[in-house]
Amino acid sequence: MKKITLFLILFFGTNISFAQNSCGGATAITAGTYVVDAVNGTPITTACASTGLGTAAEWYSYTPTQNYSVTVTTDLQINICKDTRLHIYTGTCGNLTCFAGDDDAGVIPCNSGNSNSYLSTATFTATAGTTYYIAFDNKYQSTGFSFQLIQAPVIVPPPTPISYTTQTISTVNSAYNYCVVDMNNDKKDDIVGVSDNNLKIHYQTTPGAFSISNFAISGVSKMPYWSMAAGDYNKDGFNDLVLGAGNGLSVWTSNSTGTAYSNFSPTNYIFCQRTNFIDLNNDGHLDVFSCHDIAPNVYFLNNGAGNLTYYQSTVTPGAMSIGAIGGNYATLWTDFDNDGDQDVFISKCSGPACELHRNDGNGVFTDISAQSQIDITPIQTWSSAIADFDNDGDMDIIITASSGTHKYFRNNLDSSGNLGAFTNITAGSGWDTNTSVNVDNVAYDFDNDGFIDVLGGGGKIMFNLGNGTFSPVTYSGISVGPIGDLNNDGFLDIMNGSTVRYAVPNTNKWLKVALNGIQSNSNGIGARVEIYGAWGKQIRDIRSGEGFRYMSSLNAHFGIGQATQITQVIIRWPSGIVDTITNPSPNQTLNVTEGATLGVSENNSNQFALYPNPANDFINIQLKDMQEIADAKVYDIHGRMVLTPKISDTKLNVQSLTTGTYLLILQDASGNKFSQKFIKK
């Protein structure tokens, strides 16, 4: 029997304990510091750390009265240059089972010129009432040393907000970046892969199942080495693609039935980074925008007849000023000042500060980066996350670094609609301690709790806790890719290469809103969707092109946590039309056609009137403030154009229409458009 000394943390007081040299006579210990005079007891028969057996061991037993996180360690300054080995068992002395152990996990190096540490430390969760046998053997050292047993509360990590299952879809076969977006106007997200002279679409059919179509693309296209964006460029009900390469861009455009695609590649040299579809001049037709890496940004205006006109910011006469220098890596279009038009945030690489350009609604953009105080340096970012992270009704900015440190800015839009300086709230937000950097960062509510999260680098989702802070959860294998609902269950999935990561639904509720534009572009790109309930207000802007590389769903997606009622949904279209849906049920997809929720004569009623309404064969058009009719189109409730009537004597023939609700769009000689709903009996 050998004497050991128990050191308490209280001054130099000493208690004496007597250690037995066998498992059966092991000294019972609790939390504290212990001195082992020498290792000369009964040897272990099974090693729980490294390999091989010593010729002697020292034995202790530990039985906690409650559950603890326990650390047993010799990694103490008093043990410098010693070499210990630790074994921890459960069971009985005649039938021991290795539970934990360690050889060289210590971090205190030897102070004699040897930078290695050969000390031992092991941490484990100890269960109340269970006896653990602790043994130190003499495999490497027989002389004495000290060790500590430390008890700490067991910290139960919170449940993971969302988990994922995987499905491999080897048939995608894309050589470039992917899209997850609805391509056939059924409001279900599809998978889009691009290769040289080929477009492959996996159309979502039933949840987790797809039908595959390959489309040959003639001519020479610029391949999307950098980015892709999607939108209904030609307004035929089928989404088109803009592909961005290092030497220019290409637009792949569907035919009127979505059964073939053609290529158009402008000859202009552009070192493309992020590409977008956006209606820059608010004429109802999507334009093409591209970040330029080494020069001012460029865009192509769409005249609605398939013709694109090239402009370069600050260079082409009459061009909009949207970035006067190079280093432009990603543009994110959103309404920062809540005035109904699209402003733009530009992520910058190669040194310049990021830029925020405010749109006055007439195609005049003003750089307010200094005014808003987001023009910080040094930081390098290829993309940023922009959303209403605090649910106060305006868009905030997380400048996510590709190198450097992340910055979180709160929008301080006042009640008068004035956009002033943003507040830097990085400190204590979780972004100040997030060291994972990435070129791609996207903002979505992945767990449907009603607060928008961010997927970025390190396989990490920064979950928004709703109190100004974010908590990271790391997932094995997950990286940024296109986002959408690929099994139509209301939870957002992630596409990584040929692997779909399906979110496993939790109990949170959700709402999706899919748009059919009439006066506005078909997808409603640039529209704002608002939902109201017990939580207050949530907002989403419909964007073509998030992050740096990929294209994600054009459906607006909301999580509402455990709320059971949505009181109101409001869609503010680029045209100025406002649709309102009252008390929709959660856990559904709302398909909303522009103007469909307006009263029969509610919209533009001061411009013209329709009678009789409802009508059988003919509808009379009574002009009020509107002076003349230059053009007329009729759309059904799904956003499809069904008539292009020739208006004669302000009379509209509706005999060919089936019974239902329709929208009449009239255009005057100045290009102004006005709408009214009517009903065909």
Side-chain angles (χ1 to χ4, degrees):
M1 182 181 300
K2 171 177 63 181
K3 184 175 76 173
I4 68 168
T5 305
L6 173 63
F7 289 88
L8 300 179
I9 308 295
L10 280 177
F11 218 59
F12 296 107
T14 302
N15 285 340
I16 304 298
S17 175
F18 295 94
Q20 303 297 322
N21 289 345
S22 66
C23 176
T27 297
I29 62 174
T30 59
T33 301
Y34 299 82
V35 173
V36 180
D37 290 337
V39 182
N40 56 10
T42 304
I44 64 172
T45 57
T46 303
C48 303
S50 69
T51 59
L53 301 176
T55 60
E58 291 298 305
W59 292 85
Y60 301 85
S61 67
Y62 167 69
T63 307
T65 57
Q66 64 184 68
N67 295 345
Y68 286 112
S69 176
V70 174
T71 299
V72 180
T73 181
T74 64
D75 195 31
L76 309 172
Q77 288 292 335
I78 198 172
N79 294 332
I80 286 177
C81 293
K82 295 183 178 181
D83 191 351
T84 61
R85 192 168 70 155
L86 166 66
H87 314 269
I88 302 172
Y89 305 90
T90 56
T92 61
C93 287
N95 187 24
L96 295 175
T97 301
C98 283
F99 183 77
D102 180 63
D103 187 7
D104 296 328
V107 297
I108 298 174
C110 184
N111 62 357
S112 61
N114 186 347
S115 61
N116 296 319
S117 176
Y118 299 108
L119 300 172
S120 308
T121 185
T123 299
F124 59 95
T125 299
T127 303
T130 299
T131 297
Y132 300 87
Y133 293 94
I134 301 167
F136 297 93
D137 74 349
N138 69 342
K139 171 72 173 174
Y140 303 108
Q141 179 173 311
S142 297
T143 57
F145 56 87
S146 297
F147 74 94
Q148 281 185 342
L149 189 149
I150 304 167
Q151 295 177 157
V154 176
I155 299 175
V156 179
T160 301
I162 199 75
S163 59
Y164 294 89
T165 60
T166 61
Q167 177 188 5
T168 300
I169 304 180
S170 58
T171 52
V172 175
N173 296 333
S174 176
Y176 305 95
N177 303 317
Y178 295 100
C179 293
V180 170
V181 70
D182 175 22
M183 293 293 287
N184 58 353
N185 204 25
D186 65 355
K187 309 309 177 185
K188 293 187 290 188
D189 290 320
D190 309 309
I191 302 171
V192 182
V194 171
S195 299
D196 294 332
N197 300 109
N198 181 261
L199 170 65
K200 179 174 282 188
I201 303 176
H202 287 59
Y203 295 104
Q204 185 180 165
T205 53
T206 57
F210 304 88
S211 66
I212 305 171
S213 293
N214 276 289
F215 302 93
I217 309 295
S218 60
V220 179
S221 301
K222 311 292 187 181
M223 290 290 97
Y225 294 100
W226 297 113
S227 71
M228 283 195 291
D232 187 4
Y233 162 78
N234 59 358
K235 219 167 181 179
D236 63 357
F238 301 94
N239 277 327
D240 315 297
L241 302 175
V242 54
L243 318 178
N247 60 346
L249 59 81
S250 293
V251 181
W252 285 4
T253 309
S254 68
N255 65 5
S256 61
T257 57
T259 55
Y261 288 79
S262 59
N263 164 58
F264 170 68
S265 296
T267 59
N268 311 88
Y269 170 74
I270 313 166
F271 195 153
C272 293
Q273 299 295 334
R274 175 78 261 176
T275 52
N276 309 99
F277 280 116
I278 181 71
D279 186 359
L280 283 168
N281 54 1
N282 203 27
D283 64 352
H285 303 295
L286 288 176
D287 309 304
V288 176
F289 189 94
S290 177
C291 285
H292 204 318
D293 190 350
I294 59 175
N297 293 317
V298 303
Y299 62 91
F300 296 82
L301 289 184
N302 174 11
N303 70 351
N307 300 315
L308 291 174
T309 303
Y310 171 85
Y311 291 88
Q312 184 167 23
S313 175
T314 72
V315 175
T316 307
M320 303 174 189
S321 180
I322 314 174
I325 60 174
N328 306 293
Y329 269 52
T331 38
L332 204 153
W333 298 86
T334 196
D335 185 4
F336 281 102
D337 54 2
N338 290 358
D339 65 350
D341 53 49
Q342 294 293 284
D343 314 301
V344 63
F345 180 87
I346 305 175
S347 296
K348 305 286 282 195
C349 190
S350 304
C354 295
E355 298 174 4
L356 179 59
H357 294 260
R358 189 176 192 177
N359 184 0
D360 72 349
N362 296 307
V364 177
F365 288 83
T366 303
D367 187 344
I368 61 167
S369 308
Q371 173 188 337
S372 59
Q373 297 184 18
I374 56 88
D375 57 337
I376 57 171
T377 55
I379 190 170
Q380 181 165 280
T381 179
W382 289 37
S383 65
S384 293
I386 295 176
D388 184 10
F389 294 110
D390 53 7
N391 284 351
D392 68 347
D394 51 42
M395 294 294 181
D396 312 301
I397 303 171
I398 301 174
I399 301 179
T400 48
S402 56
S403 63
T405 57
H406 309 293
K407 302 295 181 183
Y408 180 17
F409 291 91
R410 182 180 63 223
N411 190 339
N412 290 321
L413 185 71
D414 66 24
S415 59
S416 302
N418 296 312
L419 185 63
F422 285 60
T423 301
N424 188 335
I425 56 172
T426 309
S429 68
W431 288 98
D432 50 341
T433 56
N434 179 16
T435 58
S436 298
V437 296
N438 200 41
V439 300
D440 255 309
N441 302 270
V442 292
Y444 294 94
D445 186 357
F446 290 100
D447 58 350
N448 280 356
D449 68 345
F451 295 97
I452 297 179
D453 317 301
V454 179
L455 170 62
K460 191 182 294 179
I461 297 178
M462 295 289 287
F463 284 100
N464 186 347
L465 303 183
N467 60 0
T469 66
F470 291 76
S471 177
V473 176
T474 301
Y475 295 88
S476 177
I478 283 184
S479 60
V480 179
I483 309 298
D485 187 358
L486 286 170
N487 55 1
N488 208 32
D489 65 354
F491 287 78
L492 291 172
D493 311 307
I494 305 168
M495 188 82 187
N496 290 152
S498 59
T499 300
V500 179
R501 304 187 187 278
Y502 292 108
V504 178
N506 55 33
T507 60
N508 289 335
K509 299 176 176 58
W510 53 272
L511 183 75
K512 287 193 295 184
V513 182
L515 302 183
N516 297 300
I518 304 295
Q519 293 193 54
S520 306
N521 63 86
S522 301
N523 305 107
I525 292 168
R528 171 160 293 183
V529 184
E530 306 168 358
I531 70 168
Y532 297 82
W535 59 86
K537 177 182 182 181
Q538 293 187 54
I539 62 173
R540 304 285 189 271
D541 284 355
I542 308 300
R543 306 166 181 158
S544 172
E546 298 259 358
F548 178 70
R549 286 174 286 205
Y550 305 100
M551 176 67 206
S552 298
S553 177
L554 285 167
N555 296 330
H557 175 272
F558 298 86
I560 62 171
Q562 295 298 303
T564 58
Q565 184 181 18
I566 302 167
T567 57
Q568 198 173 57
V569 177
I570 297 176
I571 298 97
R572 304 185 187 277
W573 297 85
S575 66
I577 291 175
V578 178
D579 280 296
T580 302
I581 299 97
T582 303
N583 295 321
S585 299
N587 297 345
Q588 66 160 319
T589 300
L590 288 179
N591 294 322
V592 183
T593 296
E594 186 175 11
T597 70
L598 301 173
V600 172
S601 60
E602 179 180 345
N603 189 39
N604 303 136
S605 60
N606 61 325
Q607 301 295 328
F608 68 94
L610 301 176
Y611 65 96
N613 191 8
N616 286 313
D617 301 319
F618 294 93
I619 294 179
N620 296 299
I621 304 170
Q622 179 183 3
L623 299 181
K624 297 182 177 179
D625 291 352
M626 188 177 181
Q627 299 299 310
E628 58 182 309
I629 302 172
D631 186 55
K633 291 182 174 64
V634 176
Y635 295 84
D636 66 15
I637 202 66
H638 302 293
R640 295 184 292 261
M641 188 173 63
V642 293
L643 279 181
T644 54
K646 301 295 184 183
I647 303 296
S648 174
D649 297 325
T650 62
K651 181 173 287 191
L652 173 64
N653 188 336
V654 297
Q655 290 175 312
S656 63
L657 300 179
T658 59
T659 300
T661 302
Y662 297 87
L663 195 69
L664 172 64
I665 307 291
L666 300 182
Q667 181 175 313
D668 65 17
S670 300
N672 301 310
K673 295 179 179 179
F674 310 98
S675 62
Q676 293 270 356
K677 273 178 46 179
F678 69 88
I679 297 171
K680 170 66 166 55
K681 292 183 179 179

